[in-house]
Amino acid sequence: MSGLELQLQRDPSGQLIYTDAAGNEHHNVHVVRAYPISAPDEGISLLGDDGHELIWIATLTGLSASSRIIVETELATREFMPKIASLKSVSSYATPSVWKITTDRGDTTLTLKAEDHIRRLNDTALLITDSQGISFLIADSAKLDRHSKKLLDRFL
Amino acid sequence: MNPSATPTAIPPHWQNLVHTGVPDSEPVLNSLELDLDVDLHFKHSLLLLTSQGLLCLDALGQIKPFPYQNGSALRQHDHAGLGTLTLFLGETRIAFWRYTLSLDPAVQRFIHQFDRLRDSSTSGLPLVPEVQACCEQCGADLLEGHCPQCDNAEERPPSTWTLLRLWRFARPYRWQLLSGFLLMLASTAATLVPPYLTMPLMDKVLIPYQNGTPIDTITVSWLLAGLFGSAMMAWGLGWAKTYILALVSERIGADLRTETYEHLLKLSLEYFGGKRTGDLMARIGSESDRICVFLSLHLLDFATDLLMIAMTAAILISINPWLALVTLLPLPIIAWMIHKVRDKLRTGFEKIDRVWSQVSNVLADTIPGIRVVKAFAQEDREATRFRAANASNLQVNDHINKIWSLFSPSVTLLTEIGLLVVWAFGIWLVSRDQITVGVLTAFLAYISRFYARLDSMSRIVSVTQKAASGAKRIFDILDHVSSVPEPTSPTHLNQISGRITLRDAGFRYGNRAVIKGLNLDIAPGEMIGLVGHSGSGKSTLVNLMCRFYDVSEGSISIDGVNIRQLPIAEYRGNIGLVLQEPFLFFGSIAENIAYGKPDASRAEIVAAARAAHAHEFILRLPHGYDSLVGERGHGLSGGERQRISIARALLIDPRILILDEATASVDTETEKEIQKALDNLVQGRTTIAIAHRLSTLHKADRLVVLDRGEIVEIGNHDELISRQGAYYRLYLAQARNVDADIDDRAENEVIV
């Protein structure tokens, strides 16, 4: 599949270098998603070290295969939104509450400071921000197991 | 100081791996447990510092050594709650590790220790001693041996016995409560007399009459008088008890409301930032009212019922233990049912509360923003939103009602069955001459009251749960410790000179570092201009200086004293704040000017208004200084409101003055007026001014250029211009009259 080829390299310090159409090199380039939750594959932007946008990529599929790999790898290292697979236990139904959870990235705990840190994305998807600011995603709360659903329901 | 002066204990579950993996010749001086692996999975690994270098130990016990080298350095950065620790050699990345931000303070300390050990290892010199006593957890300065940041971080969920905590508010009224309780006891006893009197009425009067004995008028009069007397007693005592207890509960409710509000006012801005107005209003208003109703009506009824049950049970047992036993049999069953339903209902009522605050949040969102709603013709959308919130309210209520509606009839059914059993057993006992008909009648009279009370008692479940969840939500506020706490043993500064020192100040908003490692020394009377594009941390810095928030790292001192050690109100009394959007309270102009000093004389107010160049326009108003201004200062222009707020700042004669974009929202003409007012204000005070328009900062002694939370340049206008750095670019951009932005290099915009 052909598509837009981005001039992206990695320097020894691990940072991305982007060479724009005019041949200018930009160091320490960041790749960010514009809609990380609602449309992760649309609207990718390359930001320079100074925070200015270097290039806007409308969709990931519009990129050439090689560029896409670099962009996706870079995104993967920056993105941290574990998906909650199940809730094992909660310390209390009143906040702050410590939840023991299983995510797609392994087992961990999260501290829910207040109920308003659970954000409804749509009817079934929830985004839970823990006390450290890490966002945990529940893609479909209807698909959780009974026990998890019961625990979660107490907070909704 | 020896190297082990600041040891970090190796976590116990790593001890074995460390002992087997690390040679004894290389003692571990510091350790850091990381909670993520490179692929961002929750897997633990351990970083160790020895005298030789950095060791990385994974869960399988594999060790990767990274010896200290000249030019090796650890660096940390974070993004969205995810931290990365990178080991560099020069500019080359050697290795990196991931962690969640909860470890950030530990990581910072680890980096610090790494630097010390590396310096000592590569130079061969002994370790540089630590400078200041810092917190083990987060590296902030210790105050009185405690860390102000970490002591706050500890949070406990409120206990489930929340309602008992209302005792704190009931305590002042304990004598009234006691007399109310005694009255309750007496009135309940009085209500129990009539059924008792049916016994002699039946056995001594009616049944003998059926058997041919004439009615003894005297006995009957006595018995009827007893019935009437006890009814009157019950009436009088019941009235007194209800009145006293209602009076007390109303006062408890008022105290609760006032105290919650007072506590709320003391919380930091951080708290208000995260809460919605509608929700807070509902908590203080309706929740406290609900608790009050619960105390005055439901709890009272419940206590009366309990008393009645206990007394009835005692009377029944004294008359006939066997019949009493049968009568009381359904009681544990009903109690068990109540207990079963309680859990379901409680979660349900908590849900209803949340949904209810959703409904009020829609209102609180829309009404202040009504201009936007109307301007964009989104009335229908907002109506839909409200309908949706109401619909989910209905849905939750429906669910609860399903359980609830089943509950009451079940209790009634049990009551009927209970009566049936008593009839059956009673008739059997009468037939065996164990009891008289009078006793059976008395029993039936008692238990029909008794079960009727059980029915109403079952209602206590729901109201208690409602009140408990209301109390929980109120105590949520009361338990919230201000993240800007008052010092335990405050230092008092009599006369402050206005020297402000920021040392390694850092601030995090959520997971975003807004201010990073800021060092700044502001001399008394100096005027500092804060410059930088929006989002560079200017306003945050000002908020930190006002102690609306507390720094998350480092410290801010005034005259050499950490501002955390000063009583908050006393400290803020030294600060005059002029904001971009001046807020005027409902009241007269004079009251608004004297807001910071309510006892100011009229002459003082006029003097302040004169100095703020507000005097003349105020005089032109029909009611002069007594003119009323509305919530958002309706009827006054932006410049006029701004000058009132300047007068307000002038009146308290602060040593430190903070101008946060004071002239940003007005036109150039008005700006000149305001500028004149400001010039009066600035004289002789330490001033920190934020301005987008650089022209406003000409008088500043020093300009501090901020970019993404860091100081990039300091100097006066001329120096910074000649340096041709960030400020110069900003200045040129404004001179060209284009949108000001530090290093504006917007080019190469390609749309794919």
Side-chain angles (χ1 to χ4, degrees):
Chain A
M1 189 178 74
S2 69
L4 182 87
E5 186 72 41
L6 294 176
Q7 294 298 314
L8 282 168
Q9 280 104 40
R10 229 170 245 290
D11 71 2
S13 68
Q15 291 167 342
L16 278 184
I17 305 174
Y18 168 66
T19 315
D20 64 25
N24 300 318
E25 271 195 3
H26 300 273
H27 289 261
N28 195 13
V29 169
H30 295 293
V31 186
V32 295
R33 295 189 203 269
Y35 297 100
I37 298 161
S38 55
D41 290 345
E42 284 168 36
I44 311 286
S45 182
L46 258 55
L47 300 180
D49 194 28
D50 51 9
H52 283 296
E53 183 171 66
L54 301 171
I55 186 168
W56 170 259
I57 304 159
T59 67
L60 262 185
T61 44
L63 285 178
S64 72
S66 58
S67 300
R68 191 173 164 172
I69 288 171
I70 302 180
V71 167
E72 282 183 338
T73 330
E74 182 63 16
L75 284 171
T77 63
R78 283 171 62 85
E79 286 190 332
F80 188 58
M81 199 193 289
K83 292 186 181 63
I84 297 180
S86 71
L87 276 73
K88 285 191 283 189
S89 68
V90 299
S91 69
S92 81
Y93 293 121
T95 53
S97 170
V98 181
W99 297 9
K100 287 207 170 75
I101 51 169
T102 308
T103 70
D104 60 337
R105 298 176 190 265
D107 293 357
T108 188
T109 58
L110 73 85
T111 308
L112 183 75
K113 259 181 137 178
E115 278 136 13
D116 14 319
H117 289 191
I118 302 178
R119 179 181 148 194
R120 271 184 185 280
L121 300 176
N122 54 43
D123 282 349
T124 53
L126 300 169
L127 192 70
I128 298 167
T129 311
D130 87 339
S131 58
Q132 296 300 327
I134 298 172
S135 300
F136 292 84
L137 186 72
I138 297 182
D140 190 347
S141 56
K143 283 194 186 140
L144 291 175
D145 59 88
R146 259 182 76 88
H147 180 63
S148 310
K149 244 191 273 185
K150 215 169 140 190
L151 291 179
L152 183 67
D153 197 49
R154 296 293 294 265
F155 294 90
L156 298 179
Chain B
M1 200 181 268
N2 63 47
S4 59
T6 52
T8 314
I10 298 166
H13 49 279
W14 286 100
Q15 297 272 11
N16 276 336
L17 283 176
V18 171
H19 279 305
T20 49
V22 183
D24 288 343
S25 58
E26 238 183 290
V28 174
L29 303 176
N30 217 302
S31 71
L32 173 69
E33 188 182 29
L34 300 174
D35 51 1
L36 287 175
D37 68 1
V38 175
D39 300 326
L40 300 178
H41 286 88
F42 291 102
K43 280 184 190 144
H44 291 253
S45 59
L46 190 71
L47 293 183
L48 299 168
L49 287 180
T50 69
S51 52
Q52 311 296 310
L54 175 73
L55 299 178
C56 173
L57 187 65
D58 66 18
L60 302 171
Q62 285 180 331
I63 291 190
K64 267 190 237 155
F66 302 95
Y68 298 122
Q69 278 172 288
N70 247 330
S72 64
L74 277 178
R75 266 175 245 157
Q76 164 281 338
H77 72 267
D78 60 77
H79 171 78
L82 180 67
T84 309
L85 181 67
T86 317
L87 178 64
F88 285 99
L89 183 61
E91 280 311 308
T92 312
R93 181 168 74 178
I94 309 278
F96 68 99
W97 299 276
R98 305 288 201 163
Y99 57 93
T100 64
L101 221 52
S102 54
L103 295 179
D104 202 51
V107 169
Q108 304 278 9
R109 234 170 24 249
F110 191 78
I111 295 173
H112 176 68
Q113 295 302 332
F114 176 88
D115 289 345
R116 290 175 64 218
L117 289 162
R118 177 207 55 213
D119 289 349
S120 133
S121 161
T122 51
S123 64
L125 296 171
L127 279 176
V128 189
E130 294 276 12
V131 192
Q132 165 137 28
C134 287
C135 171
E136 280 277 302
Q137 291 284 317
C138 62
D141 291 356
L142 290 184
L143 278 185
E144 299 139 17
H146 296 284
C147 172
Q149 255 119 251
C150 297
D151 287 358
N152 275 338
E154 191 192 332
E155 277 190 80
R156 274 167 292 122
S159 93
T160 36
W161 289 92
T162 330
L163 275 176
L164 283 186
R165 299 180 57 196
L166 287 173
W167 176 243
R168 177 175 138 203
F169 295 92
R171 224 183 110 77
Y173 305 102
R174 56 189 182 283
W175 298 116
Q176 284 101 312
L177 280 172
L178 183 73
S179 56
F181 181 76
L182 292 178
L183 281 171
M184 189 197 294
L185 214 62
S187 73
T188 312
T191 56
L192 289 176
V193 174
Y196 200 87
L197 292 181
T198 57
M199 225 166 17
L201 210 54
M202 197 60 84
D203 290 342
K204 301 234 168 79
V205 180
L206 290 176
I207 292 176
Y209 173 73
Q210 267 191 340
N211 298 339
T213 322
I215 287 176
D216 176 2
T217 343
I218 299 171
T219 321
V220 172
S221 330
W222 272 113
L223 286 173
L224 290 182
L227 280 174
F228 181 72
S230 61
M232 288 306 286
M233 283 265 288
W235 174 76
L237 290 168
W239 168 76
K241 143 203 110 167
T242 313
Y243 180 68
I244 288 190
L245 291 178
L247 221 61
V248 170
S249 75
E250 208 50 66
R251 272 158 189 70
I252 294 176
D255 288 355
L256 187 68
R257 230 181 331 253
T258 326
E259 189 158 337
T260 315
Y261 182 60
E262 277 169 10
H263 186 83
L264 187 70
L265 284 181
K266 288 197 192 112
L267 291 177
S268 77
L269 279 187
E270 199 179 353
Y271 185 81
F272 290 94
K275 295 284 174 208
R276 304 178 78 173
T277 320
D279 181 48
L280 288 178
M281 277 164 64
R283 286 192 196 198
I284 295 181
S286 54
E287 304 283 3
S288 65
D289 194 50
R290 181 183 285 175
I291 290 173
C292 182
V293 169
F294 167 75
L295 290 177
S296 66
L297 284 178
H298 304 296
L299 188 64
L300 192 59
D301 283 351
F302 185 67
T304 316
D305 293 346
L306 267 188
L307 270 177
M308 182 182 258
I309 287 179
M311 288 182 180
T312 316
I315 296 172
L316 292 184
I317 289 171
S318 75
I319 302 174
N320 185 306
W322 283 110
L323 192 53
L325 197 70
V326 173
T327 318
L328 297 175
L329 211 62
L331 194 64
I333 302 172
I334 295 179
W336 174 81
M337 263 190 68
I338 291 174
H339 175 77
K340 267 284 157 203
V341 176
R342 168 179 294 172
D343 267 0
K344 289 219 161 188
L345 286 176
R346 181 181 54 209
T347 54
F349 286 122
E350 275 184 19
K351 251 189 184 165
I352 289 180
D353 280 350
R354 276 196 287 266
V355 173
W356 189 239
S357 66
Q358 249 178 47
V359 174
S360 49
N361 274 335
V362 174
L363 291 177
D365 267 359
T366 331
I367 295 171
I370 191 69
R371 280 180 70 181
V372 183
V373 175
K374 284 189 178 295
F376 288 87
Q378 293 297 316
E379 290 95 335
D380 289 346
R381 210 250 298 267
E382 294 302 333
T384 316
R385 207 149 75 94
F386 191 68
R387 204 173 299 134
N390 259 324
S392 55
N393 187 11
L394 273 182
Q395 194 196 336
V396 176
N397 268 304
D398 286 351
H399 180 70
I400 284 287
N401 287 338
K402 216 184 287 171
I403 311 168
W404 183 237
S405 53
L406 189 67
F407 189 57
S408 285
S410 310
V411 175
T412 318
L413 181 68
L414 280 173
T415 313
E416 297 297 332
I417 293 174
L419 272 172
L420 196 75
V421 173
V422 175
W423 269 113
F425 193 63
I427 292 170
W428 184 71
L429 284 179
V430 171
S431 72
R432 312 267 319 254
D433 284 333
Q434 298 267 329
I435 56 168
T436 60
V437 178
V439 170
L440 180 60
T441 336
F443 260 80
L444 288 169
Y446 271 120
I447 65 159
S448 53
R449 286 174 180 236
F450 187 92
Y451 280 135
R453 299 320 298 168
L454 266 191
D455 192 26
S456 84
M457 273 178 81
S458 63
R459 228 156 275 164
I460 191 74
V461 179
S462 74
V463 287
T464 312
Q465 297 310 337
K466 272 186 187 171
S469 62
K472 188 204 131 193
R473 285 152 63 79
I474 285 194
F475 280 109
D476 269 355
I477 298 180
L478 282 173
D479 288 342
H480 197 96
V481 185
S482 172
S483 57
V484 180
E486 285 281 353
T488 41
S489 51
T491 318
H492 295 277
L493 289 177
N494 290 330
Q495 187 64 50
I496 70 160
S497 66
R499 173 180 298 282
I500 306 172
T501 319
L502 285 88
R503 198 175 61 79
D504 295 326
F507 181 70
R508 233 168 232 301
Y509 195 84
N511 56 24
R512 209 155 52 94
V514 191
I515 299 278
K516 288 171 253 173
L518 243 159
N519 284 297
L520 187 63
D521 194 24
I522 303 169
E526 192 180 17
M527 180 175 175
I528 295 283
L530 287 181
V531 183
H533 58 75
S534 45
S536 58
K538 297 169 305 212
S539 291
T540 311
L541 186 59
V542 162
N543 283 339
L544 289 176
M545 287 183 183
C546 292
R547 228 193 141 199
F548 290 149
Y549 302 105
D550 265 337
V551 285
S552 27
E553 285 141 35
S555 66
I556 298 178
S557 318
I558 182 153
D559 291 2
V561 180
N562 192 328
I563 55 172
R564 286 178 197 266
Q565 278 167 294
L566 300 169
I568 296 173
E570 198 178 301
Y571 171 63
R572 295 215 184 112
N574 289 306
I575 298 176
L577 185 61
V578 181
L579 296 170
Q580 177 177 1
E581 284 292 333
F583 189 91
L584 300 186
F585 292 95
F586 184 85
S588 72
I589 288 186
E591 280 163 6
N592 265 294
I593 293 178
Y595 189 74
K597 193 182 172 190
D599 56 346
S601 69
R602 292 199 183 85
E604 281 179 290
I605 293 174
V606 172
R610 266 185 213 281
H613 288 255
H615 182 61
E616 285 164 358
F617 86 77
I618 295 173
L619 289 184
R620 282 198 296 272
L621 295 169
H623 295 283
Y625 280 86
D626 290 326
S627 311
L628 278 186
V629 283
E631 249 179 284
R632 298 176 195 102
H634 291 306
L636 294 178
S637 74
E640 289 168 342
R641 268 182 282 158
Q642 190 56 276
R643 275 175 282 167
I644 290 181
S645 81
I646 292 172
R648 185 193 282 167
L650 262 171
L651 189 65
I652 61 169
D653 190 21
R655 298 312 308 152
I656 299 167
L657 187 65
I658 291 173
L659 309 174
D660 191 347
E661 298 267 22
T663 58
S665 56
V666 293
D667 57 84
T668 352
E669 202 53 39
T670 324
E671 189 190 340
K672 274 189 197 134
E673 280 285 309
I674 295 177
Q675 201 57 50
K676 274 189 247 161
L678 284 177
D679 291 346
N680 281 335
L681 188 55
V682 164
Q683 271 161 22
R685 302 175 216 273
T686 307
T687 306
I688 293 135
I690 297 180
H692 210 61
R693 272 181 226 159
L694 300 179
S695 53
T696 12
L697 296 175
H698 272 313
K699 286 212 165 63
D701 299 305
R702 278 192 297 168
L703 294 166
V704 174
V705 188
L706 287 177
D707 187 26
R708 275 177 277 171
E710 283 167 303
I711 295 180
V712 286
E713 278 179 321
I714 301 184
N716 65 29
H717 178 76
D718 297 334
E719 285 168 19
L720 292 181
I721 288 294
S722 61
R723 200 178 294 170
Q724 308 222 330
Y727 179 77
Y728 177 70
R729 283 197 295 276
L730 200 62
Y731 184 77
L732 277 193
Q734 286 203 357
R736 281 204 314 266
N737 206 11
V738 291
D739 180 39
D741 213 350
I742 294 188
D743 21 82
D744 207 347
R745 286 182 254 147
E747 53 205 53
N748 310 320
E749 287 207 10
V750 185
I751 310 277
V752 181

